[in-house]
């Protein structure tokens, strides 16, 4: 993991002191709320429905046990005993007091954490594959470059007041687990003919009210010129992105309105000027950062495989967990374990202080002190010896964290919705809870197989509903809540945006509608191997529409 | 040629520092020449001001002004050994006529002349070296004795002098006072006639700008008056005048009513806003909107006065790249602090186009953004927001003085890290 040196530590404490001063000026009334808003946002502090919300950065989703314990401590001391892991691989606390925020930031600083740029119209936390550095299919570990981007973009003087927020996602493997085509910039690791490693650059993707799939702007940017290339894109966006309408201010609209070729021309012209300048990354320095992310000291393991079928007979719940929550590791004898934060009837992504402590202990004992947060709002122990899986599972069972549902219908992404969010049109957590109760039966979930449901409480799409195989969007209808259903979204390298298939449903009818869709899929699929999204692509929307709305 | 001088004596002219050269120029913009000179001798540099005169065709006007203000001001004449006999006679004529009592002739070092110009023909093969041994070198020990110099330069004389101000700070921290900066050819003639000044004997023969005999020729009607000097050679200045783009003095006191923050103080702002009634041909000390400049480019380039440029969000600094040298100041507008386009304009100006004069932020300029503006190259701020003014005066901007990324030509990154972090 990256470790702060004196400079990093001084930077974070400098930023904390700066923000503390800003908070004090707000409390004293010297700053108006209008003047304070962008300042607090740039440090991850939102004003929500009931209270302030503080969003803490988990750079590229990587945490140590010590950091997780600190988060548990903050949840316990300054919040109501829990935190919420987000689709940005960050964590949010929903109930801090404004006057406590400086203390929280100091606590975070003591474990090399901060909330810099987790909000506001600036470059946000770079997200990446939760299995980075562990996945068997990886070309390179994207985290060293993600760390370099984090540093380059921290309090960038030119890009702190962009037209709108800006999100960068990176994938080090061809199987995109970071939804890079739905970010302002997506970086896909690539190799050129000479075998050099670089990045395929995608631009202008995003969700929100105008979902767009990113477009490839450059098929290969050498690693050493990546920052220069990013700066070129940022400058074009900062200068020409729309500022007249906040709903049209993301780079996706600029790319859409001007056309990829125009933007590409501007970016290339800028790149020609800055390329080879101060932002050139020397290989030795990339190597130096990379050593922070060196693989842990893996040991030769007695067991390299586990007989899931056998385990399933002995203990079905454990078998199910093995089946769904284990990802293959590039080191023989090891596996990555996904810890589901989607218990039946729970609020997706929430973890209590005790749960955080348990997970921290497990990471320390079984996963070389490392943890990951996934953009699907789960946690990961990236490097667990196969021989330790049972012990890890048993510990998770004791803490209500052993749900073996990763990738299944109950592993939903869900935004905070009307329960917390000031912008919401509708509740979303209760809908997710109701759906997970409907499909609680493990056999049923196994029968359905891979199916991603994603729920947003309003058009801002924080719950990524556009890229759910089934998406659910809360809208306001004559003072009540109504839920639109979309089908066919996909966040991976086969990116697609879901389509609305008909009129919305009342809250109480949503679980029934989802059951109808699932039943239709099971009835029409060619075999149990054909997933929901594959079947939808083959069949089109007609049979689903008919099942939901009749043949009118 | 002698060794370059290693020791320089620091002149003391705190008064000028306190005012700020730019502000001083704003105050004396269009003021009459005697006023400028009188203020310079009595207030700015009393007893610390001298003049070098060529006793050429126009020299009488400036010397007449000097005689009125202070006939005992030291007047140095570069006796290069190459002058017209008419010029040497003219020195005596003027001395008597004007009552100047402190004229000194400066001679070149004879050893240098022997060594580098034994045949007296150096001017033909290498006029730069000739001027060096006959003018620059002999003058150097003299210039070090004074805090400031009066010159007779005028804006109309050559293209390069189009934006000459009344006061300049030289790169070696001295002051140049140019009382005739705004004089036109016609003004000079009128002045000579009005005051009955004796003419240089060669003037009537068609010589307009008179220097050493070998290097001066007759100027044709309508030609730039100085075109007759070093005709045919790509040489326009003697090296004894200093650049217009000298640094700006640092004022040490702040006047509360001033809104322009620069170099650590609020100072008087000589610039005005462009208005409906402003005229491209005559505007002076005005920030011209970029679009207005482009629409009237020729008129502005012909305008002899100091001008600024106003860049609003959405305007492209690239469009005026070629003309940036024309502007003494660029104002970057931040209509709202949340509009970050100005940061890119500032970085392009400093980093890409190496613009080195004043860049000021105007509009919604608040303390929380000023540190970022500075890093992008903005070096002056027009501030009305009271808490921000206080924060500036008390030097407590909310700043994280550590940064990860290099952004400008002025930042020399520490260490070799890829993102070039730096402790400021
Ligand atoms: S999608 Fe809407 S309701 Fe949900 S968190 Fe985002 S803004 Fe709030
Ligand atoms: S003006 Fe001509 S003669 Fe006089 S010093 Fe210069 S080069 Fe020599």
């Amino acid at each position: 993991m990256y470790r702060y040196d004196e400079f990093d530590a001084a930077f974070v404490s400098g930023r904390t002191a700066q923000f503390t001063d800003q908070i004090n000026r707000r409390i004293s009334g010297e700053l108006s709320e209008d003047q304070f808003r962008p300042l607090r946002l740039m440090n991850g502090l939102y004003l929500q429905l009931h209270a302030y919300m503080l969003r803490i950065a988990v750079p590229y989703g990587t945490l140590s046990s010590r950091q997780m314990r600190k988060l548990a401590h903050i949840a316990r001391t300054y919040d109501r005993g829990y935190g919420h892991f987000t689709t940005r691989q960050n964590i949010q606390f929903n109930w801090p007091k404004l006057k406590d925020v400086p203390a929280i930031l100091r606590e975070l600083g003591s474990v090399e954490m901060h909330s810099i740029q987790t909000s506001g119209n600036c470059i946000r936390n770079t997200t990446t594959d939760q299995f980075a550095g562990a996945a068997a299919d990886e070309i390179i570990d994207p985290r060293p470059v993600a760390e370099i981007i984090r540093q380059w973009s921290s309090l960038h003087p030119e890009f702190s007041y962009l037209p709108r927020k800006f999100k960068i996602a990176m994938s080090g493997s061809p199987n995109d687990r970071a939804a890079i085509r739905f970010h302002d910039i997506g970086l896909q690791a690539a190799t050129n003919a000479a075998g050099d490693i670089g990045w395929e650059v995608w631009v202008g993707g995003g969700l929100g009210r105008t979902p767009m799939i990113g477009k490839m702007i450059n098929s290969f940017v050498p690693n050493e010129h990546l920052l220069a290339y990013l700066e070129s894109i940022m400058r074009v966006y900062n200068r020409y992105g729309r500022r007249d309408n906040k709903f049209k201010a993301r780079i996706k609209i600029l790319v859409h309105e001007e056309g990829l070729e125009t933007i590409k021309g501007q970016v290339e012209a800028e790149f020609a000027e800055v390329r080879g300048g101060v932002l050139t990354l020397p290989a030795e320095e990339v190597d130096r950062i990379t050593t922070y992310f060196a693989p842990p000291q893996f040991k030769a393991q007695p067991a390299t495989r586990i007989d899931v079928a056998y385990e399933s007979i002995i203990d079905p719940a454990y078998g199910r967990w093995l089946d769904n929550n284990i990802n293959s590791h590039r080191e023989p004898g090891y596996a990555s374990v996904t810890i589901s934060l989607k218990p039946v009837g729970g609020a997706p992504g929430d973890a209590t202080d005790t749960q955080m402590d348990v997970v921290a202990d497990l990471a320390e004992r079984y996963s070389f002190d490392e943890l990951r947060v996934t953009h699907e709002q789960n946690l990961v122990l990236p490097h667990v010896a196969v021989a330790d899986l049972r012990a890890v599972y048993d510990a998770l069972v004791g803490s209500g964290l052993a749900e073996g549902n990763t990738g299944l219908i109950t592993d939903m992404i869900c935004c905070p919705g009307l329960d917390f969010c000031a912008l919401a049109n509708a509740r979303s957590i209760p809908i997710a809870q109701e759906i997970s109760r409907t499909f609680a039966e493990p056999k049923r979930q196994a029968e359905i197989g891979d199916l991603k449901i994603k729920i947003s409480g309003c058009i801002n799409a924080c719950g990524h509903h556009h890229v759910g195989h089934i998406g659910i969007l809360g809208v306001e209808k004559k003072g009540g809540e109504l839920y639109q259903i979309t089908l066919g979204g996909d966040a991976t390298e086969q990116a697609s945006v879901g389509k609305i298939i008909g009129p919305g449903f009342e809250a109480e009818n949503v679980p029934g509608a989802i059951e109808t869709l699932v039943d239709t899929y099971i009835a029409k699929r060619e075999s149990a191997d054909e997933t929901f999204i594959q079947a939808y692509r083959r069949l089109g929307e007609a049979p689903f529409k008919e099942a939901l709305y009749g043949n009118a | 040629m002698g060794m370059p001088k290693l020791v320089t004596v620091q002149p003391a002219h705190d008064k000028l520092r306190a005012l700020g050269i730019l502000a001083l120029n704003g105050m004396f913009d269009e003021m009459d020449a005697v006023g400028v000179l009188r203020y310079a001798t009595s207030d700015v540099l009393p007893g610390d001001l001298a003049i070098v005169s060529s006793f050429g065709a126009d020299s009488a006007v400036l010397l007449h002004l000097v005689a009125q203000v202070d006939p005992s001001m030291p007047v140095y004449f570069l006796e290069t050994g190459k002058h017209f006999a008419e010029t040497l006679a003219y020195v005596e004529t003027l001395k008597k006529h004007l009552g100047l009592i402190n004229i000194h002739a400066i001679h070149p070092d004879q050893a240098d002349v022997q060594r580098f110009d034994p045949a007296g023909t150096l001017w033909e093969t290498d006029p730069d070296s000739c001027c060096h041994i006959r003018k620059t070198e002999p003058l150097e020990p003299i210039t070090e004795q004074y805090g400031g110099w009066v010159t007779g330069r005028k804006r109309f004389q050559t293209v390069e002098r189009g934006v000459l101000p009344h006061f300049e700070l030289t790169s070696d921290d001295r002051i140049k006072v140019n009382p005739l900066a705004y004089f036109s050819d016609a003004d000079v003639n009128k002045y000579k006639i009005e005051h009955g000044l004796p003419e240089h004997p060669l003037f009537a023969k068609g010589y307009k700008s008179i220097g050493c005999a070998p290097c001066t020729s007759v100027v044709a009607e309508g030609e730039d008056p100085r075109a007759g000097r070093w005709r045919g050679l790509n040489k326009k200045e003697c090296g004894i005048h200093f650049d217009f783009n000298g640094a700006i003095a640092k004022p040490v006191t702040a006047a509360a009513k001033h809104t322009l923050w620069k170099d650590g103080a609020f100072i008087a702002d000589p610039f005005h806003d462009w208005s409906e009634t402003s005229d491209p041909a005559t505007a002076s000390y005005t920030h011209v909107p970029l679009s207005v400049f482009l629409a009237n480019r020729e008129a502005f380039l012909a305008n002899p006065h100091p001008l600024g440029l106003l860049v609003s969000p959405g305007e492209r600094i690239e469009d005026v790249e070629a003309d940036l040298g024309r502007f003494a100041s660029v104002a970057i507008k931040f209509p709202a602090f949340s509009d970050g386009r100005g940061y890119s304009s500032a970085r392009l100006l400093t980093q890409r186009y190496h613009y080195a004069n004043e860049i000021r932020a105007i509009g919604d300029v608040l303390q929380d953004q000023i540190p970022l503006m500075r890093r992008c190259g903005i070096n002056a701020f027009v501030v009305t927001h009271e808490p921000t003014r206080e924060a500036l005066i008390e030097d407590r901007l909310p700043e994280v003085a550590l940064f990860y990324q290099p952004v400008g030509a002025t930042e020399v990154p520490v260490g070799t890290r890829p993102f070039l972090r730096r402790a400021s």
Side-chain angles (χ1 to χ4, degrees):
Chain A
M1 268 185 74
Y2 186 69
R3 308 236 49 117
Y4 280 13
D5 58 16
E6 281 174 3
F7 183 96
D8 298 304
F11 178 86
V12 167
S13 71
R15 177 67 181 116
T16 299
Q18 180 191 40
F19 189 55
T20 301
D21 168 67
Q22 289 165 342
I23 288 176
N24 291 340
R25 278 188 281 140
R26 174 68 192 121
I27 290 174
S28 76
E30 187 187 303
L31 283 176
S32 71
E33 177 53 28
D34 268 1
Q35 288 162 347
F36 184 52
R37 187 189 310 112
L39 303 177
R40 67 171 160 76
L41 286 181
M42 219 164 293
N43 216 39
L45 190 63
Y46 281 78
L47 194 52
Q48 290 212 311
L49 221 43
H50 314 288
Y52 280 104
M53 177 271 274
L54 181 65
R55 185 183 290 156
I56 293 158
V58 180
Y60 34 92
T62 299
L63 284 172
S64 68
S65 332
R66 179 164 154 258
Q67 291 173 326
M68 186 61 117
R69 282 195 195 100
K70 182 59 81 177
L71 295 176
H73 166 76
I74 290 169
R76 205 159 35 234
T77 315
Y78 302 99
D79 205 284
R80 297 186 175 178
Y82 69 96
H84 177 76
F85 289 95
T86 77
T87 57
R88 299 276 313 141
Q89 301 183 314
N90 291 326
I91 181 167
Q92 297 176 178
F93 289 108
N94 284 312
W95 308 96
K97 297 197 174 56
L98 184 57
K99 68 168 178 45
D100 287 340
V101 170
I104 299 177
L105 294 177
R106 279 194 297 276
E107 298 246 19
L108 287 170
S110 72
V111 294
E112 307 181 0
M113 294 185 78
H114 58 75
S115 59
I116 297 166
Q117 287 170 219
T118 53
S119 179
N121 294 336
C122 49
I123 302 173
R124 304 286 188 88
N125 185 23
T126 298
T127 51
T128 183
D129 181 2
Q130 66 267 27
F131 300 123
D137 59 357
E138 192 165 82
I139 300 169
I140 68 162
D141 182 348
R143 291 174 302 160
V145 176
E147 171 59 25
I148 287 168
I149 293 175
R150 179 188 79 81
Q151 299 195 16
W152 161 75
S153 63
S154 288
L155 303 190
H156 196 296
E158 185 178 353
F159 306 131
S160 285
Y161 294 93
L162 296 168
R164 201 76 177 83
K165 58 189 167 186
F166 203 93
K167 299 173 180 176
I168 301 174
M170 312 178 73
S171 173
S173 44
N175 297 302
D176 177 8
R177 287 176 288 264
I180 66 156
R181 284 160 189 80
F182 291 98
H183 284 77
D184 296 287
I185 289 179
L187 299 174
Q188 168 69 57
T191 37
N192 68 3
D196 307 324
I197 290 182
W199 301 91
E200 190 179 274
V201 183
W202 295 70
V203 70
L207 298 170
R209 59 185 67 209
T210 328
M212 301 250 183
I213 300 175
K215 297 170 185 71
M216 201 209 288
I217 186 166
N218 197 316
S219 60
F220 188 83
V221 175
N223 212 27
E224 59 170 340
H225 296 309
L226 183 64
L227 287 188
Y229 197 81
L230 293 180
E231 184 145 301
S232 305
I233 296 178
M234 296 313 303
R235 182 167 292 152
V236 168
Y237 172 56
N238 188 41
R239 301 182 77 195
Y240 304 121
R242 286 182 61 172
R243 290 175 188 259
D244 57 327
N245 180 341
K246 100 177 231 213
F247 300 122
K248 302 201 170 180
R250 296 289 289 269
I251 195 173
K252 63 188 173 186
I253 304 291
L254 181 68
V255 173
H256 179 72
E257 288 181 349
E258 301 292 323
L260 179 65
E261 286 313 309
T262 307
I263 298 303
K264 187 171 175 166
Q266 291 169 343
V267 170
E268 290 296 332
E270 196 59 43
F271 186 46
E273 296 276 357
V274 300
R275 183 191 170 112
V278 283
L279 289 176
T280 308
L281 295 172
E284 337 52 280
E285 289 300 330
V286 177
D287 291 346
R288 203 181 60 80
I289 299 287
T290 304
T291 57
Y292 284 114
F293 299 92
Q297 300 289 312
F298 293 119
K299 294 187 194 72
Q301 290 296 324
T304 55
R305 310 180 62 94
I306 190 159
D307 187 342
V308 177
Y310 172 79
E311 299 290 347
S312 299
I313 296 165
I314 310 282
D315 181 347
Y318 178 49
R320 179 168 174 261
W321 182 81
L322 288 175
D323 218 10
N324 296 311
N325 292 29
I326 303 302
N327 204 71
S328 47
H329 201 285
R330 62 180 182 209
E331 186 72 18
Y334 285 87
S336 299
V337 169
T338 301
I339 299 171
S340 171
L341 296 180
K342 317 289 175 65
V344 168
D350 278 5
T352 65
D353 58 327
T354 343
Q355 287 177 326
M356 289 187 240
D357 278 334
V358 166
V359 171
D361 291 345
L362 288 175
E364 185 170 19
R365 187 145 174 220
Y366 298 111
S367 184
F368 298 92
D369 216 22
E370 238 191 278
L371 276 162
R372 306 289 170 79
V373 182
T374 83
H375 89 272
E376 295 187 312
Q377 304 179 279
N378 293 315
L379 300 175
V380 166
L381 297 169
H383 319 289
V384 179
V386 168
D388 292 332
L389 287 172
R390 181 74 215 198
V392 168
Y393 175 75
D394 289 343
L396 291 174
V397 170
S399 308
L401 290 168
E403 198 68 39
N405 63 349
T406 302
L408 300 183
I409 187 167
T410 54
D411 183 10
M412 286 168 275
I413 290 186
C414 176
C415 82
L418 198 54
D419 295 300
F420 296 99
C421 174
L423 304 171
N425 288 324
R427 292 165 301 159
S428 47
I429 293 170
I431 299 291
Q433 289 168 323
E434 211 39 60
I435 294 171
S436 82
R437 279 187 208 105
T438 307
F439 292 94
E441 174 54 43
K443 272 218 188 70
R444 183 85 201 277
Q445 291 190 45
E447 185 194 14
I448 300 166
D450 281 359
L451 174 52
K452 292 187 193 297
I453 295 184
K454 305 191 189 224
I455 308 173
S456 304
C458 83
I459 192 75
N460 290 321
C462 304
H464 297 184
H465 67 277
H466 297 295
V467 290
H469 300 156
I470 298 176
I472 299 173
L473 165 67
V475 291
E476 201 191 316
K477 194 76 181 270
K478 297 191 196 87
E481 299 160 310
L482 207 66
Y483 295 86
Q484 273 177 355
I485 292 182
T486 60
L487 289 182
D490 186 349
T492 71
E493 63 282 2
Q494 301 179 48
S496 58
V497 172
K499 267 186 69 181
I500 298 176
I501 53 161
F505 293 85
E506 308 284 343
E508 57 271 27
N509 296 328
V510 173
I514 304 301
E515 279 206 282
T516 306
L517 291 169
V518 166
D519 290 343
T520 308
Y521 151 66
I522 289 178
K524 305 256 177 188
R525 69 183 176 188
E526 285 182 319
S527 74
D529 288 339
E530 190 184 41
T531 62
F532 181 91
I533 186 73
Q534 288 164 342
Y536 172 82
R537 286 192 178 133
R538 177 174 58 82
L539 294 163
E541 61 174 36
F544 297 98
K545 202 168 174 175
E546 193 183 320
L548 272 189
Y549 302 104
N551 207 352
Chain B
M1 280 160 256
M3 287 285 290
K5 297 290 185 298
L6 294 176
V7 186
T8 51
V9 183
Q10 283 304 313
H13 41 73
D14 289 346
K15 189 125 189 174
L16 192 95
R17 292 191 163 279
L19 279 161
I21 282 269
L22 206 57
L24 197 58
N25 281 316
M27 242 161 76
F28 285 97
D29 195 19
E30 320 284 348
M31 193 182 193
D32 90 328
V34 193
V36 169
L37 195 58
R38 184 160 283 140
Y39 186 79
T41 49
S42 64
D43 275 63
V44 182
L45 295 160
D48 200 17
L49 200 60
I51 175 170
V52 179
S53 180
S54 65
F55 289 85
D58 293 338
S59 300
V61 174
L62 186 63
L63 292 172
H64 182 254
L65 290 170
V66 168
Q68 285 177 71
V69 171
D70 177 11
S72 67
M73 184 188 290
V75 177
Y76 291 92
F77 170 59
L78 286 161
E79 177 35 311
T80 60
K82 292 281 169 186
H83 282 294
F84 293 105
E86 288 88 338
T87 301
L88 301 178
Y90 190 50
V91 173
E92 292 309 313
T93 312
L94 282 183
K95 183 176 172 181
K96 262 185 229 114
H97 185 89
L98 300 174
L100 294 165
I101 54 171
N102 205 358
I103 295 180
H104 307 268
I106 315 172
H107 299 274
D109 181 72
Q110 281 313 308
D112 276 351
V113 174
Q114 281 303 309
R115 191 166 157 220
F116 297 106
D117 192 13
T121 52
L122 189 60
W123 64 270
E124 215 169 3
T125 51
D126 184 0
D128 283 332
S129 296
C130 183
C131 277
H132 190 85
I133 59 169
R134 293 175 193 280
K135 295 178 176 176
T136 314
E137 283 284 326
L139 195 55
E140 202 165 282
I142 312 284
T143 53
E144 283 173 6
Q145 294 169 20
Y146 297 93
W149 290 88
V150 180
T151 88
R153 290 180 299 157
K154 303 161 200 76
R155 317 179 142 196
F156 80 90
Q157 283 173 332
T158 63
V159 182
E160 285 77 4
R161 287 175 174 179
V163 289
L164 188 73
H166 279 138
F167 295 89
E168 297 167 83
L169 198 63
T170 66
S171 49
D172 67 346
D173 224 18
R174 292 195 158 71
I175 310 238
K176 291 238 138 171
V177 185
N178 309 311
L180 303 183
Y182 287 77
F183 268 51
S184 68
D185 212 356
D187 292 337
V188 172
N189 288 328
K190 195 164 139 231
Y191 191 100
K192 285 189 210 166
I193 292 159
E194 269 173 16
H195 295 88
L197 300 178
E199 202 68 87
H200 192 290
L202 292 176
F203 184 73
K205 299 183 181 164
Y207 292 89
K208 291 271 153 57
S209 178
I210 303 164
C212 296
C215 298
T216 306
S217 66
V218 178
V219 177
E221 203 52 43
E223 207 173 12
D224 184 324
R226 288 172 73 90
R229 306 275 297 276
W230 298 291
R231 187 180 283 285
L233 287 170
N234 191 16
K235 177 172 168 68
K236 293 244 170 86
E237 290 282 4
C238 273
I240 58 166
H241 296 314
F242 303 82
D243 290 347
F244 167 61
N245 281 340
I248 304 300
K250 281 196 174 62
V252 288
T253 56
K257 64 182 188 301
H258 297 148
T259 59
L260 177 65
W261 176 267
K262 202 172 167 185
D263 293 324
F266 281 105
I267 58 169
D269 184 356
F271 278 89
H272 324 286
D273 291 341
W274 180 260
S275 78
E276 290 292 302
T277 55
S278 304
D279 178 349
T282 59
S284 171
Y285 286 96
T286 303
H287 282 106
V288 183
L290 192 146
S291 56
V292 173
F293 175 79
L294 288 176
N296 304 277
R297 184 170 174 273
E298 296 307 318
F300 281 114
L301 292 184
N303 175 331
H305 306 286
L307 288 173
L309 178 71
L310 170 65
V311 184
S312 295
E315 291 181 325
R316 291 162 39 89
I317 201 79
E318 292 91 320
D319 296 342
V320 288
E321 179 188 347
D323 299 320
L324 285 173
R326 173 68 185 83
F327 301 107
S329 164
V330 175
I332 295 182
K333 175 124 186 149
F334 290 83
F337 69 84
S338 54
D339 188 332
R341 285 175 280 189
Y343 297 105
S344 289
S345 300
R347 277 193 75 193
L348 289 173
L349 266 173
T350 52
Q351 206 181 334
R352 186 154 307 159
Y353 302 130
H354 307 290
Y355 179 81
N357 291 336
E358 175 185 286
I359 304 178
R360 55 167 73 181
I362 63 168
D364 203 8
V365 180
L366 303 175
Q367 57 182 314
D368 297 288
Q369 287 80 41
I370 287 175
L372 302 178
M373 292 174 175
R374 279 197 176 138
R375 287 199 58 209
C376 289
I378 294 172
N379 52 26
F381 306 88
V382 176
V383 184
T384 52
H385 181 247
E386 208 40 61
T388 300
R389 294 175 58 90
E390 283 163 23
L392 280 166
I393 291 167
E394 289 159 25
D395 193 19
R396 47 163 183 85
L397 289 180
E399 177 175 21
V400 180
L402 296 165
F403 24 96
Y404 278 113
Q405 60 295 99
V407 290
T410 53
E411 278 178 29
V412 182
V414 169
T416 55
R417 301 190 165 194
F419 11 83
L420 302 166
R421 52 177 49 178
R422 179 187 154 96
S424 70

